[in-house]
Amino acid sequence: MSKGIFLVTGGSRGIGEAIARDAAAQGYHVLLTYAGDAAAADRVVSAITSAGGEATAIQADTGDGAHVARLFAQVDRLGTLAVMVYNGGIVGAVGPLVDQDDATLAKVVDVNLTGALTCSREAVRRMSTRLGGDGGSIILISSRAAGLGAPNQHVWYAATKGGIDSLTLGLGKEVAAEGIRVNGVSPGPIATDIHLPGHLERIRDALPMKREGTPAEVSAVVMFLVTEAASYVSGTTIQVAGAR
């Protein structure tokens, strides 16, 4: 019997895919979103179901309120929301802020921060014991860029992830008495395709551990945070960044 619905945005590749696979292995029905690559999402769903798990994929631009409403309507059709992991995030271009246009900045803010706010709001509406829910866990994926600033790379991305850290702290306090734990996970350089080709190789020797992390290492922390072993952990962000 399923433990409930485990929603992971951006679940068709990288960190999101690792989380989706691990959640399914733990007995959740995984609902994963994808922005545009339906084939990649279908491959994740197929891998999960072939291993005996339950998974559903839905296309959603989480920076669009109408898409968020459609996403949570699907959650309600599938069952009871137990976990929501907001993993959706985009960088946009790479370079100094002075070179970026309004459209790039707006899109990054919409997907990375506004989407986290609206998805968290909808998750609380379904999980809150004050509102008749069973409680649950919200995990917000941040980035070490929030603490480093990412100058001359993508300070706008870092700024949105700083907002994620504030959301984690504030919402964690706000719903602590409503059966909901809110935590963040802040990855450092992880081997995913969010990085430009060659970037990880160029910075590897400067990293404290002399290597980048893996999606599985991030997922392991996420999965810890949704267990009873983390029952008194809320409102905090855990760095998975190899001492960076």
Side-chain angles (χ1 to χ4, degrees), residues 8-237:
V8 54
T9 68
S12 65
R13 57 193 175 89
I15 292 170
E17 177 181 354
I19 294 168
R21 289 172 178 261
D22 287 348
Q26 291 299 315
Y28 292 96
H29 184 132
V30 174
L31 174 60
L32 62 97
T33 75
Y34 64 95
D37 192 344
D42 288 343
R43 284 194 294 271
V44 177
V45 169
S46 178
I48 288 172
T49 55
S50 295
E54 298 178 89
T56 304
I58 182 172
Q59 192 279 328
D61 175 357
T62 51
D64 184 320
H67 283 227
V68 171
R70 179 166 55 83
L71 168 61
F72 279 87
Q74 176 72 340
V75 169
D76 295 339
R77 283 190 290 270
L78 289 173
T80 300
L81 183 63
V83 180
M84 193 277 286
V85 178
Y86 195 82
N87 172 65
I90 59 173
V91 173
V94 174
L97 176 62
V98 71
D99 292 339
Q100 307 311 311
D101 59 28
D102 289 351
T104 295
L105 302 181
K107 185 62 177 178
V108 171
V109 171
D110 283 347
V111 172
N112 294 7
L113 186 54
T114 304
L117 288 163
T118 55
C119 286
S120 294
R121 179 192 66 198
E122 294 305 312
V124 169
R125 286 175 173 173
R126 288 157 176 80
M127 293 175 177
S128 170
T129 54
R130 180 178 63 84
L131 300 175
D134 297 331
S137 181
I138 295 173
I139 310 292
L140 304 172
I141 304 300
S142 180
S143 170
R144 277 296 290 137
L148 298 172
N152 296 307
Q153 294 181 344
H154 34 246
V155 297
W156 52 94
Y157 170 81
T160 62
K161 292 303 186 177
I164 290 291
D165 291 348
S166 294
L167 174 58
T168 299
L169 177 62
L171 187 61
K173 293 178 178 179
E174 191 168 282
V175 299
E178 300 177 27
I180 304 171
R181 293 185 299 105
V182 183
N183 287 293
V185 174
S186 180
I190 304 297
T192 71
D193 60 10
I194 197 172
H195 300 283
L196 290 175
H199 173 69
L200 291 175
E201 290 78 6
R202 285 193 297 273
I203 68 170
R204 190 171 290 150
D205 285 345
L207 298 176
M209 287 190 176
K210 308 301 180 186
R211 70 171 179 89
E212 63 271 30
T214 68
E217 288 173 311
V218 180
S219 180
V221 176
V222 170
M223 295 311 299
F224 161 70
L225 287 170
V226 305
T227 67
E228 282 301 308
S231 58
Y232 202 56
V233 180
S234 193
T236 193
T237 296

